[in-house]
Amino acid sequence: MNYESIKQEDPQILESILAEEKRQREGIELIPSENYTSAAVMEACGSILTNKYSEGYPGKRYYGGQENIDVIENMAIDRAKELFGAEHANVQPYSGSPANTAIYFALLEFGDTVMGLKLDHGGHITHGLPIAFSGKAYNFIQYGVNKETGKIDMEEVRRLALEHKPKMIVAGFTAYPRDIEWKKFKEIADEVGALTMADISHTAGLVAGGALESPVPYFDVVMTTTHKTLRGPRGAIILCKEKHAKAIDRAVFPGLQGGPHEHTIAGKAIAFKEALQPEFKEYAMQVKKNAEYLADAMMKRGFKLISDGTDTHLILADLTSKNIPGKEAQVALDKVGITLNKNTIPDDPRSPFDPSGIRLGTPAVTTRGMKEPEMERIADWIDRTIQNHENETELLKIKEEVKTMCVKFPVPGILG
Ligand SMILES: *Cc1c(COP(=O)(O)O)cnc(C)c1O
């Protein structure tokens, strides 16, 4: 990016942007919810579209001057529908959390019973965390994973559904390494007359690229963020069956949000076009291959992974056997330029602020063009860093090795 104007006007902010550019270029990004969006998407997000108010929907706006905005938003809607084979798309949600809130607001009454995945088993805060809006406004019943297999216990899901008769069942995750059995969820929901809501924020890129099965044919509503594996700008979309379209649209605006962010919607439209290209299928497959390879390489080095592997882009490791808590591992890995996050493991005996595990994934490194040989090196660096986490000399050495590899793999939007 060219920062000429910020340089003139606000060198203090520019200094931090450039430092962040350097961090992104010289380090390995393994946070599974992060990615690098294209320069084209960034240009749209930085465009004059940010100046415009456009409350309402294409053709039904509350302000004048919408002739260009309507074209852009309609393109975003059409491409989202094409990409996911959806009957209806709302592209206005500011981000994943407000999108989930809008879905609940559209289809539930306050106090209704809903089922979602437990937070410490991989669910999201918007799936019923007691201190969050979702947990306060609705009666969330939480299902979890099987202790032995680390996989969602579909028997428990069915048992809880029969017992509690939820109005909606939410499926989807923020820290779970396995594919979701959408059909089975749908069967259980049908058995008890519940609505189905899929939150594919993490895996939307893999679904769009054909590397994972899509819930869109089965589920009433599907939400995804646009900035994770889908590699677009920070935001979200809601896809649904035509019969829910009106309720969803009214819940997003005026139910929850005011003016949509049309600069971001233009960025989403561009990202959807990119995801419709054949190269994106290859990207999605490689994300999965890299994750499988990295998981194997870690297990060969004695790491214990939840569910003993992955079907997705995401890996969850229990560091108990490595004698290091997740937080200390995260800090040591930060020092060598490897970014990931500490994470709870199912039924973690430790606190969420200092949990037993780490969560990592391959969407960002795959965007940079890294493949199996680089995954081998990454596994090795993670292992060495954890073994030497108190040895500053060794950590500095690893940091140099990481940087030397990283600068060979350009980050979109960052000039080498
Ligand atoms: C990331 C995520 C969200 C929330 O998205 P934000 O844009 O951070 O609000 C919701 N659900 C799941 C499963 C997620 O992974």
Side-chain angles (χ1 to χ4, degrees):
M1 295 290 274
N2 168 349
Y3 297 111
E4 281 312 310
S5 308
I6 306 181
K7 194 171 175 181
Q8 297 298 321
E9 215 178 290
D10 197 336
Q12 269 177 304
I13 286 289
L14 183 60
E15 198 180 316
S16 292
I17 293 177
L18 294 178
E20 176 60 14
E21 261 199 11
K22 183 172 153 62
R23 190 191 70 80
Q24 291 192 13
R25 194 169 91 91
E26 296 180 359
I28 295 171
E29 185 54 70
L30 293 177
I31 294 176
S33 49
E34 292 189 13
N35 213 332
Y36 308 106
T37 199
S38 70
V41 167
M42 279 187 268
E43 281 175 14
C45 293
S47 74
I48 44 74
L49 295 172
T50 194
N51 298 337
K52 189 74 196 97
Y53 245 109
S54 50
E55 283 181 358
Y57 289 100
K60 294 165 282 198
R61 305 281 192 186
Y62 290 81
Y63 296 82
Q66 307 294 344
E67 59 268 36
N68 308 306
I69 297 297
D70 277 5
V71 173
I72 290 169
E73 190 168 332
N74 276 327
M75 275 198 279
I77 292 168
D78 290 344
R79 289 174 186 175
K81 283 162 66 177
E82 185 186 346
L83 186 60
F84 291 98
E87 291 177 15
H88 180 77
N90 187 307
V91 297
Q92 293 192 357
Y94 300 144
S95 217
S97 308
N100 280 348
T101 308
I103 293 169
Y104 302 150
F105 192 49
L107 303 176
L108 303 171
E109 300 298 326
F110 293 129
D112 274 354
T113 298
V114 191
M115 278 175 54
L117 180 61
K118 264 182 224 165
L119 188 74
D120 73 327
H121 287 214
H124 190 257
I125 47 178
T126 54
H127 299 180
L129 178 70
I131 58 161
F133 178 82
S134 56
K136 286 197 187 293
Y138 307 99
N139 173 35
F140 263 89
I141 306 294
Q142 311 252 256
Y143 57 88
V145 302
N146 177 292
K147 277 194 188 66
E148 262 93 69
T149 62
K151 297 182 185 177
I152 291 174
D153 189 338
M154 295 308 293
E155 282 307 307
E156 187 195 24
V157 172
R158 181 161 182 271
R159 186 177 54 72
L160 290 171
L162 289 169
E163 182 184 340
H164 296 282
K165 300 270 186 292
K167 177 115 172 253
M168 175 187 279
I169 299 181
V170 178
F173 59 79
T174 192
Y176 177 71
R178 294 295 175 174
D179 202 2
I180 305 244
E181 297 177 80
W182 303 118
K183 265 187 223 158
K184 228 178 216 171
F185 265 105
K186 170 70 176 153
E187 280 165 22
I188 294 169
D190 283 348
E191 208 178 335
V192 300
L195 292 163
T196 43
M197 195 279 246
D199 180 345
I200 58 167
S201 291
H202 260 265
T203 50
L206 303 186
V207 168
L212 286 178
E213 200 197 1
S214 172
V216 171
Y218 316 114
F219 273 49
D220 288 291
V221 195
V222 177
M223 192 289 285
T224 180
T225 52
T226 44
H227 49 276
K228 298 179 184 175
T229 49
L230 200 49
R231 219 160 62 175
R234 201 151 281 277
I237 55 171
I238 299 171
L239 309 165
C240 66
K241 299 286 185 222
E242 195 56 48
K243 65 179 172 194
H244 301 302
K246 209 166 169 192
I248 291 291
D249 284 353
R250 285 173 65 169
V252 173
F253 174 84
L256 190 73
Q257 297 188 169
H261 297 179
E262 295 292 346
H263 54 308
T264 310
I265 290 174
K268 290 175 191 175
I270 294 170
F272 301 152
K273 183 174 179 185
E274 291 170 357
L276 281 162
Q277 306 310 309
E279 297 84 77
F280 196 81
K281 285 202 168 57
E282 283 167 39
Y283 167 70
M285 297 297 173
Q286 191 64 43
V287 166
K288 223 179 114 162
K289 268 198 234 168
N290 279 351
E292 264 169 45
Y293 194 96
L294 181 58
D296 280 342
M298 288 177 72
M299 288 191 289
K300 280 190 192 119
R301 288 165 177 81
F303 283 89
K304 187 182 170 339
L305 304 188
I306 303 303
S307 84
D308 297 316
T310 177
D311 301 323
T312 62
H313 62 299
L314 188 148
I315 296 167
L316 195 57
D318 174 0
L319 298 181
T320 311
S321 63
K322 293 275 178 187
N323 290 316
I324 184 171
K327 190 164 137 191
E328 251 178 271
Q330 179 191 310
V331 170
L333 286 159
D334 255 340
K335 286 186 190 166
V336 304
I338 294 179
T339 313
L340 45 65
N341 64 278
K342 62 177 187 279
N343 213 95
T344 51
I345 55 166
D347 302 316
D348 204 320
R350 303 177 63 93
S351 93
F353 300 104
D354 189 10
S356 305
I358 49 172
R359 185 186 72 147
L360 58 158
T362 51
V365 291
T366 308
T367 295
R368 290 179 85 162
M370 294 181 192
K371 294 205 163 102
E372 288 85 345
E374 287 75 36
M375 298 308 115
E376 187 72 35
R377 301 193 68 187
I378 291 172
D380 209 52
W381 283 321
I382 293 174
D383 193 32
R384 270 169 64 200
T385 302
I386 283 174
Q387 280 182 35
N388 296 284
H389 67 277
E390 281 163 337
N391 180 344
E392 295 296 330
T393 326
E394 183 66 14
L395 294 182
L396 268 179
K397 216 173 115 199
I398 298 171
K399 186 184 166 116
E400 274 312 303
E401 292 173 23
V402 165
K403 179 175 155 186
T404 306
M405 183 184 89
C406 280
V407 295
K408 294 190 189 126
F409 294 89
V411 174
I414 300 182
L415 303 170

PDB file of all heavy atoms in Angstrom, residues 150-179:
ATOM      1  N   GLY A 150     -12.640 -36.456  21.104  1.00  0.00           N
ATOM      2  CA  GLY A 150     -12.474 -35.025  20.841  1.00  0.00           C
ATOM      3  C   GLY A 150     -13.462 -34.513  19.799  1.00  0.00           C
ATOM      4  O   GLY A 150     -13.381 -33.363  19.365  1.00  0.00           O
ATOM      5  N   LYS A 151     -14.393 -35.367  19.362  1.00  0.00           N
ATOM      6  CA  LYS A 151     -15.346 -34.950  18.323  1.00  0.00           C
ATOM      7  C   LYS A 151     -16.719 -34.673  18.932  1.00  0.00           C
ATOM      8  O   LYS A 151     -17.055 -35.222  19.989  1.00  0.00           O
ATOM      9  CB  LYS A 151     -15.469 -36.043  17.259  1.00  0.00           C
ATOM     10  CG  LYS A 151     -14.138 -36.263  16.536  1.00  0.00           C
ATOM     11  CD  LYS A 151     -14.244 -37.304  15.441  1.00  0.00           C
ATOM     12  CE  LYS A 151     -12.846 -37.539  14.871  1.00  0.00           C
ATOM     13  NZ  LYS A 151     -12.802 -38.577  13.852  1.00  0.00           N
ATOM     14  N   ILE A 152     -17.508 -33.840  18.265  1.00  0.00           N
ATOM     15  CA  ILE A 152     -18.834 -33.492  18.784  1.00  0.00           C
ATOM     16  C   ILE A 152     -19.636 -34.772  18.983  1.00  0.00           C
ATOM     17  O   ILE A 152     -19.681 -35.635  18.107  1.00  0.00           O
ATOM     18  CB  ILE A 152     -19.578 -32.526  17.842  1.00  0.00           C
ATOM     19  CG1 ILE A 152     -18.879 -31.158  17.861  1.00  0.00           C
ATOM     20  CG2 ILE A 152     -21.044 -32.366  18.273  1.00  0.00           C
ATOM     21  CD1 ILE A 152     -19.425 -30.161  16.871  1.00  0.00           C
ATOM     22  N   ASP A 153     -20.224 -34.866  20.166  1.00  0.00           N
ATOM     23  CA  ASP A 153     -20.959 -36.061  20.545  1.00  0.00           C
ATOM     24  C   ASP A 153     -22.396 -35.942  20.031  1.00  0.00           C
ATOM     25  O   ASP A 153     -23.260 -35.326  20.658  1.00  0.00           O
ATOM     26  CB  ASP A 153     -20.929 -36.160  22.084  1.00  0.00           C
ATOM     27  CG  ASP A 153     -21.484 -37.476  22.578  1.00  0.00           C
ATOM     28  OD1 ASP A 153     -22.248 -38.114  21.829  1.00  0.00           O
ATOM     29  OD2 ASP A 153     -21.157 -37.851  23.719  1.00  0.00           O
ATOM     30  N   MET A 154     -22.663 -36.533  18.852  1.00  0.00           N
ATOM     31  CA  MET A 154     -23.979 -36.384  18.226  1.00  0.00           C
ATOM     32  C   MET A 154     -25.082 -37.084  19.027  1.00  0.00           C
ATOM     33  O   MET A 154     -26.247 -36.694  18.941  1.00  0.00           O
ATOM     34  CB  MET A 154     -23.951 -36.892  16.775  1.00  0.00           C
ATOM     35  CG  MET A 154     -23.048 -36.086  15.847  1.00  0.00           C
ATOM     36  SD  MET A 154     -23.347 -34.286  15.860  1.00  0.00           S
ATOM     37  CE  MET A 154     -24.977 -34.174  15.117  1.00  0.00           C
ATOM     38  N   GLU A 155     -24.691 -38.103  19.801  1.00  0.00           N
ATOM     39  CA  GLU A 155     -25.667 -38.763  20.672  1.00  0.00           C
ATOM     40  C   GLU A 155     -26.150 -37.784  21.744  1.00  0.00           C
ATOM     41  O   GLU A 155     -27.328 -37.705  22.070  1.00  0.00           O
ATOM     42  CB  GLU A 155     -25.037 -39.998  21.345  1.00  0.00           C
ATOM     43  CG  GLU A 155     -24.940 -41.205  20.435  1.00  0.00           C
ATOM     44  CD  GLU A 155     -26.287 -41.543  19.807  1.00  0.00           C
ATOM     45  OE1 GLU A 155     -27.276 -41.687  20.554  1.00  0.00           O
ATOM     46  OE2 GLU A 155     -26.360 -41.642  18.567  1.00  0.00           O
ATOM     47  N   GLU A 156     -25.166 -37.035  22.297  1.00  0.00           N
ATOM     48  CA  GLU A 156     -25.518 -36.040  23.318  1.00  0.00           C
ATOM     49  C   GLU A 156     -26.378 -34.929  22.707  1.00  0.00           C
ATOM     50  O   GLU A 156     -27.340 -34.466  23.323  1.00  0.00           O
ATOM     51  CB  GLU A 156     -24.241 -35.439  23.941  1.00  0.00           C
ATOM     52  CG  GLU A 156     -24.551 -34.537  25.122  1.00  0.00           C
ATOM     53  CD  GLU A 156     -23.390 -33.641  25.568  1.00  0.00           C
ATOM     54  OE1 GLU A 156     -22.495 -33.340  24.754  1.00  0.00           O
ATOM     55  OE2 GLU A 156     -23.410 -33.230  26.741  1.00  0.00           O
ATOM     56  N   VAL A 157     -26.024 -34.512  21.491  1.00  0.00           N
ATOM     57  CA  VAL A 157     -26.809 -33.468  20.818  1.00  0.00           C
ATOM     58  C   VAL A 157     -28.265 -33.933  20.707  1.00  0.00           C
ATOM     59  O   VAL A 157     -29.202 -33.205  21.040  1.00  0.00           O
ATOM     60  CB  VAL A 157     -26.236 -33.153  19.408  1.00  0.00           C
ATOM     61  CG1 VAL A 157     -27.155 -32.209  18.644  1.00  0.00           C
ATOM     62  CG2 VAL A 157     -24.828 -32.551  19.512  1.00  0.00           C
ATOM     63  N   ARG A 158     -28.447 -35.191  20.287  1.00  0.00           N
ATOM     64  CA  ARG A 158     -29.802 -35.716  20.096  1.00  0.00           C
ATOM     65  C   ARG A 158     -30.536 -35.819  21.433  1.00  0.00           C
ATOM     66  O   ARG A 158     -31.703 -35.415  21.553  1.00  0.00           O
ATOM     67  CB  ARG A 158     -29.737 -37.080  19.410  1.00  0.00           C
ATOM     68  CG  ARG A 158     -31.091 -37.680  19.163  1.00  0.00           C
ATOM     69  CD  ARG A 158     -31.074 -38.769  18.102  1.00  0.00           C
ATOM     70  NE  ARG A 158     -32.447 -39.244  17.902  1.00  0.00           N
ATOM     71  CZ  ARG A 158     -32.994 -40.233  18.600  1.00  0.00           C
ATOM     72  NH1 ARG A 158     -32.289 -40.867  19.517  1.00  0.00           N
ATOM     73  NH2 ARG A 158     -34.243 -40.575  18.386  1.00  0.00           N
ATOM     74  N   ARG A 159     -29.821 -36.330  22.447  1.00  0.00           N
ATOM     75  CA  ARG A 159     -30.432 -36.495  23.763  1.00  0.00           C
ATOM     76  C   ARG A 159     -30.889 -35.138  24.320  1.00  0.00           C
ATOM     77  O   ARG A 159     -32.018 -34.981  24.783  1.00  0.00           O
ATOM     78  CB  ARG A 159     -29.411 -37.151  24.716  1.00  0.00           C
ATOM     79  CG  ARG A 159     -29.957 -37.515  26.081  1.00  0.00           C
ATOM     80  CD  ARG A 159     -28.911 -38.221  26.943  1.00  0.00           C
ATOM     81  NE  ARG A 159     -27.655 -37.510  27.104  1.00  0.00           N
ATOM     82  CZ  ARG A 159     -27.493 -36.412  27.844  1.00  0.00           C
ATOM     83  NH1 ARG A 159     -28.514 -35.898  28.486  1.00  0.00           N
ATOM     84  NH2 ARG A 159     -26.304 -35.844  27.933  1.00  0.00           N
ATOM     85  N   LEU A 160     -30.010 -34.133  24.232  1.00  0.00           N
ATOM     86  CA  LEU A 160     -30.349 -32.797  24.739  1.00  0.00           C
ATOM     87  C   LEU A 160     -31.491 -32.169  23.934  1.00  0.00           C
ATOM     88  O   LEU A 160     -32.353 -31.484  24.484  1.00  0.00           O
ATOM     89  CB  LEU A 160     -29.124 -31.879  24.711  1.00  0.00           C
ATOM     90  CG  LEU A 160     -28.011 -32.200  25.730  1.00  0.00           C
ATOM     91  CD1 LEU A 160     -26.767 -31.359  25.462  1.00  0.00           C
ATOM     92  CD2 LEU A 160     -28.509 -31.960  27.158  1.00  0.00           C
ATOM     93  N   ALA A 161     -31.480 -32.419  22.623  1.00  0.00           N
ATOM     94  CA  ALA A 161     -32.539 -31.854  21.768  1.00  0.00           C
ATOM     95  C   ALA A 161     -33.889 -32.451  22.149  1.00  0.00           C
ATOM     96  O   ALA A 161     -34.888 -31.735  22.262  1.00  0.00           O
ATOM     97  CB  ALA A 161     -32.219 -32.111  20.301  1.00  0.00           C
ATOM     98  N   LEU A 162     -33.920 -33.776  22.364  1.00  0.00           N
ATOM     99  CA  LEU A 162     -35.181 -34.428  22.736  1.00  0.00           C
ATOM    100  C   LEU A 162     -35.649 -33.945  24.106  1.00  0.00           C
ATOM    101  O   LEU A 162     -36.842 -33.750  24.335  1.00  0.00           O
ATOM    102  CB  LEU A 162     -35.013 -35.954  22.735  1.00  0.00           C
ATOM    103  CG  LEU A 162     -34.856 -36.590  21.338  1.00  0.00           C
ATOM    104  CD1 LEU A 162     -34.438 -38.058  21.458  1.00  0.00           C
ATOM    105  CD2 LEU A 162     -36.139 -36.468  20.527  1.00  0.00           C
ATOM    106  N   GLU A 163     -34.689 -33.727  24.996  1.00  0.00           N
ATOM    107  CA  GLU A 163     -35.033 -33.308  26.362  1.00  0.00           C
ATOM    108  C   GLU A 163     -35.515 -31.853  26.406  1.00  0.00           C
ATOM    109  O   GLU A 163     -36.493 -31.536  27.073  1.00  0.00           O
ATOM    110  CB  GLU A 163     -33.798 -33.498  27.257  1.00  0.00           C
ATOM    111  CG  GLU A 163     -34.027 -33.138  28.720  1.00  0.00           C
ATOM    112  CD  GLU A 163     -32.756 -33.259  29.543  1.00  0.00           C
ATOM    113  OE1 GLU A 163     -31.809 -33.955  29.110  1.00  0.00           O
ATOM    114  OE2 GLU A 163     -32.710 -32.616  30.616  1.00  0.00           O
ATOM    115  N   HIS A 164     -34.805 -30.959  25.706  1.00  0.00           N
ATOM    116  CA  HIS A 164     -35.076 -29.516  25.866  1.00  0.00           C
ATOM    117  C   HIS A 164     -35.938 -28.903  24.762  1.00  0.00           C
ATOM    118  O   HIS A 164     -36.360 -27.750  24.881  1.00  0.00           O
ATOM    119  CB  HIS A 164     -33.756 -28.748  25.979  1.00  0.00           C
ATOM    120  CG  HIS A 164     -32.962 -29.103  27.191  1.00  0.00           C
ATOM    121  ND1 HIS A 164     -33.265 -28.618  28.440  1.00  0.00           N
ATOM    122  CD2 HIS A 164     -31.901 -29.926  27.357  1.00  0.00           C
ATOM    123  CE1 HIS A 164     -32.407 -29.109  29.326  1.00  0.00           C
ATOM    124  NE2 HIS A 164     -31.569 -29.915  28.699  1.00  0.00           N
ATOM    125  N   LYS A 165     -36.168 -29.647  23.674  1.00  0.00           N
ATOM    126  CA  LYS A 165     -36.988 -29.137  22.569  1.00  0.00           C
ATOM    127  C   LYS A 165     -36.625 -27.694  22.186  1.00  0.00           C
ATOM    128  O   LYS A 165     -37.453 -26.782  22.309  1.00  0.00           O
ATOM    129  CB  LYS A 165     -38.481 -29.175  22.954  1.00  0.00           C
ATOM    130  CG  LYS A 165     -39.012 -30.569  23.282  1.00  0.00           C
ATOM    131  CD  LYS A 165     -39.546 -31.233  22.019  1.00  0.00           C
ATOM    132  CE  LYS A 165     -40.214 -32.560  22.257  1.00  0.00           C
ATOM    133  NZ  LYS A 165     -39.323 -33.648  22.683  1.00  0.00           N
ATOM    134  N   PRO A 166     -35.400 -27.484  21.720  1.00  0.00           N
ATOM    135  CA  PRO A 166     -34.976 -26.110  21.390  1.00  0.00           C
ATOM    136  C   PRO A 166     -35.732 -25.555  20.183  1.00  0.00           C
ATOM    137  O   PRO A 166     -36.203 -26.325  19.336  1.00  0.00           O
ATOM    138  CB  PRO A 166     -33.498 -26.284  21.041  1.00  0.00           C
ATOM    139  CG  PRO A 166     -33.388 -27.690  20.547  1.00  0.00           C
ATOM    140  CD  PRO A 166     -34.358 -28.474  21.369  1.00  0.00           C
ATOM    141  N   LYS A 167     -35.813 -24.229  20.134  1.00  0.00           N
ATOM    142  CA  LYS A 167     -36.435 -23.590  18.959  1.00  0.00           C
ATOM    143  C   LYS A 167     -35.411 -23.531  17.825  1.00  0.00           C
ATOM    144  O   LYS A 167     -35.764 -23.474  16.657  1.00  0.00           O
ATOM    145  CB  LYS A 167     -36.869 -22.172  19.370  1.00  0.00           C
ATOM    146  CG  LYS A 167     -37.463 -21.337  18.266  1.00  0.00           C
ATOM    147  CD  LYS A 167     -38.928 -21.021  18.530  1.00  0.00           C
ATOM    148  CE  LYS A 167     -39.483 -20.034  17.529  1.00  0.00           C
ATOM    149  NZ  LYS A 167     -39.698 -18.707  18.087  1.00  0.00           N
ATOM    150  N   MET A 168     -34.109 -23.544  18.205  1.00  0.00           N
ATOM    151  CA  MET A 168     -33.057 -23.472  17.187  1.00  0.00           C
ATOM    152  C   MET A 168     -31.847 -24.267  17.665  1.00  0.00           C
ATOM    153  O   MET A 168     -31.542 -24.273  18.863  1.00  0.00           O
ATOM    154  CB  MET A 168     -32.656 -22.005  16.963  1.00  0.00           C
ATOM    155  CG  MET A 168     -31.488 -21.796  16.010  1.00  0.00           C
ATOM    156  SD  MET A 168     -30.957 -20.061  15.946  1.00  0.00           S
ATOM    157  CE  MET A 168     -32.154 -19.374  14.829  1.00  0.00           C
ATOM    158  N   ILE A 169     -31.178 -24.922  16.714  1.00  0.00           N
ATOM    159  CA  ILE A 169     -29.909 -25.577  17.033  1.00  0.00           C
ATOM    160  C   ILE A 169     -28.813 -24.867  16.232  1.00  0.00           C
ATOM    161  O   ILE A 169     -28.924 -24.720  15.016  1.00  0.00           O
ATOM    162  CB  ILE A 169     -29.931 -27.084  16.686  1.00  0.00           C
ATOM    163  CG1 ILE A 169     -31.021 -27.794  17.515  1.00  0.00           C
ATOM    164  CG2 ILE A 169     -28.559 -27.717  16.955  1.00  0.00           C
ATOM    165  CD1 ILE A 169     -31.125 -29.290  17.266  1.00  0.00           C
ATOM    166  N   VAL A 170     -27.790 -24.410  16.964  1.00  0.00           N
ATOM    167  CA  VAL A 170     -26.664 -23.728  16.328  1.00  0.00           C
ATOM    168  C   VAL A 170     -25.506 -24.718  16.214  1.00  0.00           C
ATOM    169  O   VAL A 170     -25.144 -25.375  17.190  1.00  0.00           O
ATOM    170  CB  VAL A 170     -26.215 -22.508  17.171  1.00  0.00           C
ATOM    171  CG1 VAL A 170     -25.010 -21.823  16.520  1.00  0.00           C
ATOM    172  CG2 VAL A 170     -27.367 -21.520  17.352  1.00  0.00           C
ATOM    173  N   ALA A 171     -24.944 -24.825  15.010  1.00  0.00           N
ATOM    174  CA  ALA A 171     -23.763 -25.672  14.811  1.00  0.00           C
ATOM    175  C   ALA A 171     -22.672 -24.811  14.185  1.00  0.00           C
ATOM    176  O   ALA A 171     -22.945 -23.983  13.316  1.00  0.00           O
ATOM    177  CB  ALA A 171     -24.095 -26.849  13.901  1.00  0.00           C
ATOM    178  N   GLY A 172     -21.451 -25.019  14.645  1.00  0.00           N
ATOM    179  CA  GLY A 172     -20.351 -24.214  14.130  1.00  0.00           C
ATOM    180  C   GLY A 172     -19.384 -23.970  15.261  1.00  0.00           C
ATOM    181  O   GLY A 172     -19.712 -24.245  16.421  1.00  0.00           O
ATOM    182  N   PHE A 173     -18.186 -23.488  14.949  1.00  0.00           N
ATOM    183  CA  PHE A 173     -17.155 -23.453  15.984  1.00  0.00           C
ATOM    184  C   PHE A 173     -16.144 -22.356  15.746  1.00  0.00           C
ATOM    185  O   PHE A 173     -16.039 -21.794  14.658  1.00  0.00           O
ATOM    186  CB  PHE A 173     -16.416 -24.788  16.021  1.00  0.00           C
ATOM    187  CG  PHE A 173     -15.768 -25.124  14.696  1.00  0.00           C
ATOM    188  CD1 PHE A 173     -14.571 -24.539  14.325  1.00  0.00           C
ATOM    189  CD2 PHE A 173     -16.371 -26.006  13.812  1.00  0.00           C
ATOM    190  CE1 PHE A 173     -13.980 -24.828  13.102  1.00  0.00           C
ATOM    191  CE2 PHE A 173     -15.786 -26.306  12.578  1.00  0.00           C
ATOM    192  CZ  PHE A 173     -14.592 -25.706  12.230  1.00  0.00           C
ATOM    193  N   THR A 174     -15.379 -22.119  16.792  1.00  0.00           N
ATOM    194  CA  THR A 174     -14.248 -21.208  16.696  1.00  0.00           C
ATOM    195  C   THR A 174     -12.954 -21.925  17.070  1.00  0.00           C
ATOM    196  O   THR A 174     -11.874 -21.470  16.738  1.00  0.00           O
ATOM    197  CB  THR A 174     -14.526 -19.960  17.568  1.00  0.00           C
ATOM    198  OG1 THR A 174     -13.591 -18.961  17.269  1.00  0.00           O
ATOM    199  CG2 THR A 174     -14.499 -20.270  19.036  1.00  0.00           C
ATOM    200  N   ALA A 175     -13.072 -23.073  17.724  1.00  0.00           N
ATOM    201  CA  ALA A 175     -11.874 -23.843  18.091  1.00  0.00           C
ATOM    202  C   ALA A 175     -12.217 -25.331  18.140  1.00  0.00           C
ATOM    203  O   ALA A 175     -12.349 -25.915  19.204  1.00  0.00           O
ATOM    204  CB  ALA A 175     -11.321 -23.390  19.434  1.00  0.00           C
ATOM    205  N   TYR A 176     -12.384 -25.909  16.968  1.00  0.00           N
ATOM    206  CA  TYR A 176     -12.725 -27.329  16.857  1.00  0.00           C
ATOM    207  C   TYR A 176     -12.101 -27.814  15.558  1.00  0.00           C
ATOM    208  O   TYR A 176     -12.303 -27.192  14.512  1.00  0.00           O
ATOM    209  CB  TYR A 176     -14.256 -27.470  16.838  1.00  0.00           C
ATOM    210  CG  TYR A 176     -14.772 -28.877  16.653  1.00  0.00           C
ATOM    211  CD1 TYR A 176     -14.659 -29.822  17.668  1.00  0.00           C
ATOM    212  CD2 TYR A 176     -15.380 -29.263  15.446  1.00  0.00           C
ATOM    213  CE1 TYR A 176     -15.147 -31.109  17.496  1.00  0.00           C
ATOM    214  CE2 TYR A 176     -15.874 -30.547  15.274  1.00  0.00           C
ATOM    215  CZ  TYR A 176     -15.754 -31.465  16.301  1.00  0.00           C
ATOM    216  OH  TYR A 176     -16.243 -32.740  16.125  1.00  0.00           O
ATOM    217  N   PRO A 177     -11.299 -28.884  15.603  1.00  0.00           N
ATOM    218  CA  PRO A 177     -10.527 -29.240  14.414  1.00  0.00           C
ATOM    219  C   PRO A 177     -11.235 -30.116  13.395  1.00  0.00           C
ATOM    220  O   PRO A 177     -10.667 -30.407  12.347  1.00  0.00           O
ATOM    221  CB  PRO A 177      -9.321 -29.991  15.005  1.00  0.00           C
ATOM    222  CG  PRO A 177      -9.773 -30.482  16.337  1.00  0.00           C
ATOM    223  CD  PRO A 177     -10.928 -29.656  16.790  1.00  0.00           C
ATOM    224  N   ARG A 178     -12.454 -30.533  13.677  1.00  0.00           N
ATOM    225  CA  ARG A 178     -13.092 -31.517  12.810  1.00  0.00           C
ATOM    226  C   ARG A 178     -14.249 -30.944  12.005  1.00  0.00           C
ATOM    227  O   ARG A 178     -14.820 -29.925  12.365  1.00  0.00           O
ATOM    228  CB  ARG A 178     -13.592 -32.689  13.660  1.00  0.00           C
ATOM    229  CG  ARG A 178     -12.461 -33.485  14.299  1.00  0.00           C
ATOM    230  CD  ARG A 178     -11.642 -34.156  13.232  1.00  0.00           C
ATOM    231  NE  ARG A 178     -10.457 -34.834  13.784  1.00  0.00           N
ATOM    232  CZ  ARG A 178      -9.638 -35.593  13.050  1.00  0.00           C
ATOM    233  NH1 ARG A 178      -9.842 -35.751  11.755  1.00  0.00           N
ATOM    234  NH2 ARG A 178      -8.583 -36.151  13.607  1.00  0.00           N
ATOM    235  N   ASP A 179     -14.576 -31.636  10.930  1.00  0.00           N
ATOM    236  CA  ASP A 179     -15.711 -31.268  10.099  1.00  0.00           C
ATOM    237  C   ASP A 179     -16.992 -31.479  10.902  1.00  0.00           C
ATOM    238  O   ASP A 179     -17.014 -32.253  11.851  1.00  0.00           O
ATOM    239  CB  ASP A 179     -15.700 -32.169   8.861  1.00  0.00           C
ATOM    240  CG  ASP A 179     -16.463 -31.545   7.711  1.00  0.00           C
ATOM    241  OD1 ASP A 179     -16.958 -30.416   7.876  1.00  0.00           O
ATOM    242  OD2 ASP A 179     -16.572 -32.182   6.653  1.00  0.00           O
TER     243      ASP A 179
END
